[in-house]
Amino acid sequence: FTTVSSTGSFSEDITGLQRNEQYFYRIRGESGGDVDTGSAQSFTTDNISVSTVTPPSSKGVFSLTLRAEVDTFTGDNTITAGIELVQGGGDFANATVKSETLTSTGIVEKQFTGLSEDTSYDFKAFAEVDGVRVEGSVKTDSTLSTTMSISPTSHNFGTSDGQSTKTFTVSNTGTASLSGLSASGLSGDFSENGLNSSTLSPGGSTNVTVTYDPSSISDDSDTLNISANETASASASVSGSGIPEDPSISVSPSSHDFG
């Protein structure tokens, strides 16, 4: 109740109401035992709903781009809408939060960077207006992985007195595309002819050929290193033994008649 000493207007704040509900009210006045009431009026509180959109609009090795959709909004105020992110199974009280202000329904898209490779994350959408908060369902997704394999992982060229070759297969076993593939590590009597491709899609493979050409009688060994995307790598060991070449003998002249 509000006490007034003359005619005029007044206001009262009423909190704790439910969203999207119709409420009725009327003015009541008392003076000297007399009671009078105004006509009944009504209003409907604002309604708001939000959804967590999946799958992510994009995924990287260290990033996720996530979306929240404000599906319903009735009212004249602005909405704060966004996304909360935690590592899989984490407490949303410690979430990373990204949001923006909307004036109507729509999509909020936010990129979260600095994440860990090949890691599961939980996320959910939220929206707030006039102290009322609604949340979307919790969703889960993972960052991409950069892994590769090489086959075979070792090769022995055996004994050799000349040039011999071996082909190795490099495969992308991760969920991210590999780029900048390069081969290194070989020297001396071992060499490689370069990868057939510098990029690999997930599940893809390419070849590299190693040549062994011993220059002396010796036991040789080395390691073939394959790298890509700064974090992905694989290696294979090679070995072999150089032996003397078969001797070559010639006689001159090839014949002679002593008469």
Side-chain angles (χ1 to χ4, degrees), residues 14-31:
I14 303 174
T15 60
L17 306 182
Q18 301 297 310
R19 63 186 176 91
N20 198 33
E21 289 287 345
Q22 184 179 27
Y23 290 88
F24 293 88
Y25 69 96
R26 65 180 182 181
I27 304 300
R28 173 176 169 162
E30 295 183 7
S31 178

Side-chain angles (χ1 to χ4, degrees), residues 1-237:
F1 290 93
T2 298
T3 301
V4 296
S5 57
S6 62
T7 59
S9 61
F10 66 93
S11 63
E12 290 287 342
D13 290 329
I14 303 174
T15 60
L17 306 182
Q18 301 297 310
R19 63 186 176 91
N20 198 33
E21 289 287 345
Q22 184 179 27
Y23 290 88
F24 293 88
Y25 69 96
R26 65 180 182 181
I27 304 300
R28 173 176 169 162
E30 295 183 7
S31 178
D34 296 327
V35 177
D36 192 15
T37 58
S39 60
Q41 306 291 325
S42 68
F43 66 91
T44 301
T45 52
D46 294 342
N47 187 28
I48 184 173
S49 64
V50 66
S51 299
T52 308
V53 181
T54 53
S57 55
S58 69
K59 301 199 295 182
V61 178
F62 305 110
S63 65
L64 289 171
T65 301
L66 307 174
R67 292 174 293 166
E69 181 174 10
V70 177
D71 309 293
T72 306
F73 176 62
T74 58
D76 300 325
N77 295 323
T78 57
I79 317 162
T80 299
I83 302 157
E84 296 182 339
L85 176 81
V86 295
Q87 193 163 319
D91 187 349
F92 275 98
N94 302 316
T96 300
V97 181
K98 293 195 174 186
S99 64
E100 65 183 65
T101 299
L102 299 179
T103 57
S104 62
T105 57
I107 296 285
V108 173
E109 181 175 271
K110 296 295 180 182
Q111 184 181 52
F112 293 80
T113 58
L115 307 182
S116 299
E117 177 178 347
D118 194 24
T119 301
S120 176
Y121 288 89
D122 297 334
F123 54 95
K124 64 180 177 180
F126 71 91
E128 296 177 342
V129 60
D130 288 341
V132 177
R133 177 185 173 96
V134 294
E135 297 179 348
S137 56
V138 176
K139 304 293 185 180
T140 301
D141 216 308
S142 301
T143 51
L144 301 181
S145 62
T146 54
T147 56
M148 66 168 73
S149 66
I150 188 169
S151 179
T153 56
S154 64
H155 179 69
N156 189 332
F157 287 90
T159 56
S160 175
D161 60 1
Q163 188 178 95
S164 55
T165 61
K166 175 64 178 178
T167 298
F168 293 80
T169 300
V170 178
S171 301
N172 182 348
T173 56
T175 54
S177 293
L178 298 178
S179 60
L181 267 75
S182 63
S184 63
L186 298 182
S187 60
D189 294 337
F190 296 100
S191 62
E192 46 83 18
N193 70 345
L195 292 152
N196 292 347
S197 175
S198 62
T199 61
L200 278 182
S201 298
S205 62
T206 188
N207 295 327
V208 58
T209 300
V210 173
T211 299
Y212 178 50
D213 189 8
S215 58
S216 62
I217 301 173
S218 62
D219 293 327
D220 302 311
S221 63
D222 213 335
T223 301
L224 171 66
N225 297 313
I226 308 296
S227 61
N229 285 45
E230 298 183 357
T231 59
S233 62
S235 62
S237 59

